[in-house]
Amino acid sequence: MSKHTPKVAYFCMEYALKSEIKTYAGGLGILAGDYIKGAKDHDYPVIGIGIKWKQGYSEQHIDKFGKPYDAYRNYSYDNLEDTGAVVYVKIRENNVGCKVWKVKELPLYLLDTDFSDNPDNWITGQLYGWFGEERIAQEMVLGIGGVRALNALGIKPDVYHFNEGHAFFAGMELLRELMEHGNCFDDALKKVRSKIVFTTHTPIVQGNESHPISRIIYMGANIGLSIEQLVQIGGSPFNMTVAALRISKKSNAVAELHKETANEMWKDYPNCSEIIGITNAIHIPTWVKSDMLKNVDNPSALWEAHLKHKESLIDFVQTRTGTLLNKNKLLIGFSRRAVAYKRSDLIFQDDAQLAPLLTEGKIQIIFSGKSHPLDDADYDMEIGAMLTSGSDVWLNNPRRPQEASGTSGMKAAMNGVLNCSILDGWWPEACDHGVNGWQFGEGKGLNDFSPEELDNHDRRALVEVLTKEVLPTYYNNNSKWIEMMQESIRSTKEDFAIRRMLEEYFEYLYKA
């Protein structure tokens, strides 16, 4: 790294570090965990700020009657060291202590309110546990507490990177510091903006968090700003994404297509920062089987390695569900949150052509996903890793353009699992149809379709690609299938590795 390389403090509500500890809910945490691991691997000057969740996100179970239910349990952390630092954040007039822990093997610090005699010690209990006041309290700990933790530790970042709007209150704390030292609001805002960058993920306006101004003030999150100043930054109601866009010198979307979507979403909001595109990536040691990379130039060894991972997935499914799948039949993986725009039922909407294939066993499908009452994205690292290494095909068919990035497809691709996907998220940047995977439905000229028309169009396209290209190649042309696996790995293992993403963050976001 150059001596002029900026030191970055990266704020995120969730980090996926270990599958068994649910300090993450979905893709946001998966990305943050991969980013911090990659920064450590490649020696980038990044410090992560997060929260030590006592119970983390919910685990979903199925009772004896077949109904799902959510459960929480307290986690034991064996990889933390006590920094000795405790910082305080005033929340609803209570002076809440935030203990600062460090993850031993990573440059990541976690704040924790769960200790005796601490008012509101529940705040770091459940990740995304609530919507209103409680959510603001959690975000105040992350943002305000995070900046104060950096100060207490003597860490002086050049850049503050907010991964989603949850981290916005760090910007409020930086404003407060400058205004207490005599800067007027406008000057303080200008100075703070020169140090903040922002990553936006949610491609649906309604999915971006907002709060009534009165709630912000009641919680104490305004830390001295007037109603007029709050409205100037985040509007009324106070939109966390808009506020982050306005307090940042530059922002990024998480794929090139998402850049178009995000700029269109926020075009009517003045004084927002430029939104560039930096496509997400993955931490290869976490997600990609080493034997797939090692054997990419040896067709027979590559196929044998894939079958080994497929058998592991089949064993995993049998242990979890009691169902035994056939390793010689095409296995399609689909792991998504169970919400309407993901269209998990699309493949079942053509009984005439697909039902016989399922009945005969020519197609096997593994679905993994759950819905949550609070509808934040969910993802399980263990299941995700099994599916993205052991499936033959990775199916992704969101109603475009509502997929921001979709890193699970990258994991599959680098494991030689062939993507069969709508041209949404990252896939338009990688797809070479019939060479390293398949696309269906086309990606342009469909804006005038109603949701029902789009579903019908995409269902027909999916059936055509499956029946005319995927199945004939799998069952009749194994050498071609293996060639596509090789090309899938070769075409993605550098362009969608976390190192490339880090390089682009530092070149186009941090140094700009």
Side-chain angles (χ1 to χ4, degrees):
M1 295 292 102
S2 161
K3 65 180 181 179
H4 301 297
T5 300
K7 180 182 289 184
V8 177
Y10 182 85
F11 287 71
C12 190
M13 280 278 273
E14 50 176 294
Y15 291 85
L17 303 177
K18 294 183 177 182
S19 177
E20 63 270 22
I21 299 179
K22 297 296 188 293
T23 53
Y24 62 97
L28 184 72
I30 296 291
L31 175 71
D34 282 10
Y35 173 80
I36 288 295
K37 293 174 191 174
K40 170 73 181 305
D41 291 351
H42 303 297
D43 197 27
Y44 278 87
V46 174
I47 299 294
I49 299 292
I51 291 179
K52 177 181 177 286
W53 298 106
K54 182 177 183 178
Q55 296 182 327
Y57 202 61
S58 71
E59 299 174 355
Q60 192 168 75
H61 302 274
I62 298 176
D63 66 20
K64 62 182 180 181
F65 303 107
K67 292 185 178 181
Y69 65 94
D70 290 302
Y72 294 87
R73 60 188 174 95
N74 296 344
Y75 292 113
S76 297
Y77 290 80
D78 59 3
N79 63 335
L80 299 181
E81 57 188 32
D82 189 350
T83 67
V86 178
V87 298
Y88 292 87
V89 179
K90 186 169 283 189
I91 300 175
R92 292 184 303 189
E93 296 302 320
N94 284 328
N95 216 22
V96 179
C98 305
K99 191 174 180 62
V100 185
W101 300 87
K102 184 185 181 299
V103 178
K104 290 178 181 177
E105 67 273 17
L106 292 170
L108 175 61
Y109 295 88
L110 303 178
L111 290 97
D112 175 22
T113 64
D114 181 39
F115 53 92
S116 62
D117 301 324
N118 192 31
D120 293 336
N121 60 3
W122 53 266
I123 291 174
T124 58
Q126 294 180 358
L127 171 60
Y128 303 134
W130 306 274
F131 277 124
E133 295 175 8
E134 298 89 354
R135 176 71 64 87
I136 291 175
Q138 294 177 337
E139 292 167 341
M140 291 174 71
V141 168
L142 174 67
I144 300 169
V147 172
R148 294 177 183 177
L150 290 169
N151 291 336
L153 295 168
I155 298 170
K156 300 186 182 302
D158 302 302
V159 176
Y160 296 82
H161 183 170
F162 300 167
N163 192 31
E164 260 303 351
H166 305 302
F168 167 76
F169 292 131
M172 299 281 274
E173 172 65 3
L174 295 173
L175 278 174
R176 183 199 63 78
E177 289 179 343
L178 287 172
M179 292 173 72
E180 281 195 359
H181 284 84
N183 291 266
C184 70
F185 171 73
D186 289 338
D187 286 347
L189 184 60
K190 184 176 180 180
K191 290 177 181 178
V192 166
R193 187 180 284 133
S194 71
K195 291 187 172 186
I196 295 175
V197 298
F198 172 56
T199 298
T200 180
H201 294 259
T202 308
I204 304 168
V205 172
Q206 295 78 5
N208 288 266
E209 181 183 338
S210 64
H211 300 279
I213 292 283
S214 58
R215 183 185 294 159
I216 298 285
I217 295 173
Y218 168 69
M219 296 299 294
N222 61 313
I223 48 176
L225 294 192
S226 67
I227 291 174
E228 292 75 19
Q229 290 164 342
L230 288 174
V231 172
Q232 182 178 333
I233 297 173
S236 182
F238 191 90
N239 187 296
M240 301 289 278
T241 302
V242 171
L245 287 167
R246 286 178 174 162
I247 208 170
S248 302
K249 64 176 179 176
K250 187 173 282 190
S251 301
N252 79 285
V254 292
E256 285 301 310
L257 179 58
H258 183 229
K259 176 183 72 173
E260 298 177 21
T261 304
N263 278 289
E264 179 67 22
M265 280 173 62
W266 305 114
K267 67 179 182 181
D268 296 328
Y269 292 79
N271 304 318
C272 289
S273 57
E274 175 190 7
I275 303 174
I276 64 172
I278 299 179
T279 303
N280 283 349
I282 67 167
H283 184 245
I284 289 177
T286 297
W287 299 106
V288 182
K289 302 294 186 183
S290 59
D291 54 359
M292 299 304 291
L293 296 175
K294 181 179 72 176
N295 293 313
V296 67
D297 295 322
N298 184 329
S300 60
L302 185 68
W303 183 246
E304 286 303 312
H306 169 66
L307 288 181
K308 180 182 72 175
H309 303 311
K310 186 175 181 179
E311 288 171 356
S312 295
L313 173 58
I314 289 171
D315 290 344
F316 179 77
V317 170
Q318 186 178 23
T319 300
R320 288 287 187 99
T321 70
T323 299
L324 179 62
L325 300 171
N326 187 334
K327 76 170 185 178
N328 297 314
K329 302 296 183 180
L330 182 74
L331 184 53
I332 298 174
F334 185 100
S335 181
R336 294 291 184 278
R337 180 164 47 111
V339 292
Y341 82 85
K342 299 285 189 181
R343 300 192 297 185
S344 56
D345 61 343
L346 189 71
I347 195 170
F348 296 116
Q349 293 177 6
D350 193 316
D351 288 343
Q353 295 193 67
L354 289 180
L357 296 173
L358 289 164
T359 302
E360 296 165 12
K362 277 197 167 183
I363 292 179
Q364 305 172 107
I365 308 175
I366 300 177
F367 281 92
S368 175
K370 71 183 184 72
S371 61
H372 188 273
L374 302 187
D375 204 27
D376 282 292
D378 71 85
Y379 197 95
D380 184 282
M381 288 182 75
E382 182 183 19
I383 296 173
M386 293 297 298
L387 280 168
T388 54
S389 62
S391 302
D392 295 309
V393 169
W394 192 252
L395 178 63
N396 186 31
N397 46 235
R399 187 175 290 120
R400 59 192 168 280
Q402 296 182 23
E403 181 89 288
S405 180
T407 56
S408 58
M410 301 174 191
K411 298 159 194 167
M414 289 189 213
N415 278 301
V417 176
L418 301 182
N419 277 262
C420 182
S421 175
I422 291 286
L423 285 173
D424 201 5
W426 77 291
W427 189 228
E429 301 170 43
C431 178
D432 188 353
H433 183 84
V435 176
N436 68 352
W438 298 272
Q439 69 85 20
F440 61 93
E442 303 300 331
K444 300 290 184 181
L446 303 172
N447 293 339
D448 294 332
F449 279 34
S450 69
E452 183 179 1
E453 289 171 332
L454 186 62
D455 289 354
N456 289 334
H457 173 273
D458 290 344
R459 184 185 66 252
R460 289 191 294 269
L462 171 59
V463 170
E464 182 170 353
V465 168
L466 278 176
T467 57
K468 294 184 179 179
E469 298 188 60
V470 177
L471 288 168
T473 306
Y474 182 82
Y475 285 110
N476 304 326
N477 196 343
N478 183 250
S479 62
K480 169 67 173 174
W481 190 275
I482 296 173
E483 287 173 11
M484 292 184 69
M485 290 174 60
Q486 292 175 296
E487 190 56 32
S488 176
I489 297 169
R490 290 169 180 154
S491 64
T492 58
K493 65 185 177 70
E494 294 181 2
D495 287 349
F496 299 97
I498 204 74
R499 183 168 195 163
R500 186 273 307 155
M501 191 184 88
L502 279 159
E503 290 171 353
E504 292 187 359
Y505 271 160
F506 275 83
E507 183 67 24
Y508 302 118
L509 203 59
Y510 302 153
K511 291 182 181 180

